[in-house]
Amino acid sequence: FDEFSKGVEPDLEHAFIASKTRPVCLLGAGRLKRYREVCAQLVEVFHDSPVPSNRGHIAWTCTLTPNHLIDAKLLVKMARFCIDDPDNERDLKCARTLGACLYRDGQYAEAAHVLTELTGAIGEGSGSTARYVLACTKYFLAMARLDMGHSFQAQRILEEANLITDRFRADELDWAQPIALKVLRQEATAKVRE
């Protein structure tokens, strides 16, 4: 992930500050503290964007790791705005984002409900985008189940997520997706296997 360090060098910071991809570059470069700061800035700027996809993308990007700098309730509102848009109501990414935001807000039962419904709507034989959404969904679902006291289910779901992740070929994912899968896998594994 050394190539991501170039996208976060100080002389390039102003060029990337408004970019919705900057936080993922920071994660890829291992700069978690700066990732959290940039996410907080992006949420402040985009939380009331009239464009549902902007809110949804920022909410998703900023749920990839826990972030004490952001009010998770605001992320939930952003995700609900995205999913409430008539053009997005059946969008898998919006549902995944809502489940992830609910999880980060500590609403584990509701998160588990949303994420479980989503896993049922996605088949493992689906295309790479749907399988990516499914893997991310299962990582959040494993953590939600664990926080609800369902450790056996959490372990099983984590194993399913890892199997999906391990089956990806490099050419099936865009540059940001492996980073998201890596950080979610690490967090879920650390929690479930504690």
Side-chain angles (χ1 to χ4, degrees):
F1 291 113
D2 290 340
E3 61 270 24
F4 294 108
S5 293
K6 295 175 185 154
V8 295
E9 290 176 6
D11 59 323
L12 297 176
E13 178 139 296
H14 296 294
F16 282 93
I17 196 67
S19 172
K20 293 181 281 184
T21 59
R22 179 162 171 70
V24 182
C25 286
L26 290 161
L27 275 180
R31 297 187 52 198
L32 188 58
K33 181 179 182 222
R34 188 67 184 129
Y35 158 83
R36 290 179 173 140
E37 293 167 351
V38 169
C39 277
Q41 292 169 350
L42 287 172
V43 168
E44 185 176 324
V45 170
F46 287 100
H47 77 275
D48 60 356
S49 169
V51 181
S53 61
N54 280 348
R55 288 194 204 186
H57 183 80
I58 297 300
W60 168 248
T61 300
C62 295
T63 61
L64 293 176
T65 69
N67 190 341
H68 66 281
L69 301 177
I70 298 173
D71 178 2
K73 290 188 184 332
L74 189 54
L75 292 175
V76 171
K77 283 177 145 177
M78 292 170 71
R80 286 196 192 280
F81 185 79
C82 178
I83 210 165
D84 288 344
D85 180 43
D87 295 333
N88 290 333
E89 70 180 290
R90 289 187 176 83
D91 187 271
L92 301 176
K93 292 177 186 175
C94 289
R96 171 213 54 200
T97 299
L98 177 59
C101 292
L102 288 164
Y103 173 75
R104 293 291 182 214
D105 190 37
Q107 298 181 51
Y108 305 128
E110 189 174 352
H113 175 75
V114 169
L115 296 167
T116 299
E117 281 190 356
L118 181 57
T119 61
I122 304 171
E124 280 203 47
S126 302
S128 61
T129 298
R131 287 185 293 119
Y132 164 73
V133 171
L134 182 60
C136 293
T137 298
K138 285 185 179 267
Y139 284 126
F140 275 106
L141 182 56
M143 293 187 288
R145 288 289 181 197
L146 182 70
D147 288 331
M148 293 170 63
H150 307 153
S151 59
F152 178 76
Q153 286 179 334
Q155 180 65 41
R156 180 184 50 79
I157 295 166
L158 174 63
E159 290 170 7
E160 292 169 1
N162 287 339
L163 280 174
I164 296 165
T165 299
D166 291 342
R167 289 183 185 148
F168 278 111
R169 296 185 321 267
D171 65 339
E172 290 184 287
L173 300 169
D174 72 25
W175 68 271
Q177 291 170 333
I179 297 167
L181 289 170
K182 179 182 175 184
V183 298
L184 291 174
R185 183 180 197 153
Q186 288 173 339
E187 180 184 4
T189 300
K191 283 184 70 92
V192 172
R193 297 199 174 143
E194 256 179 4

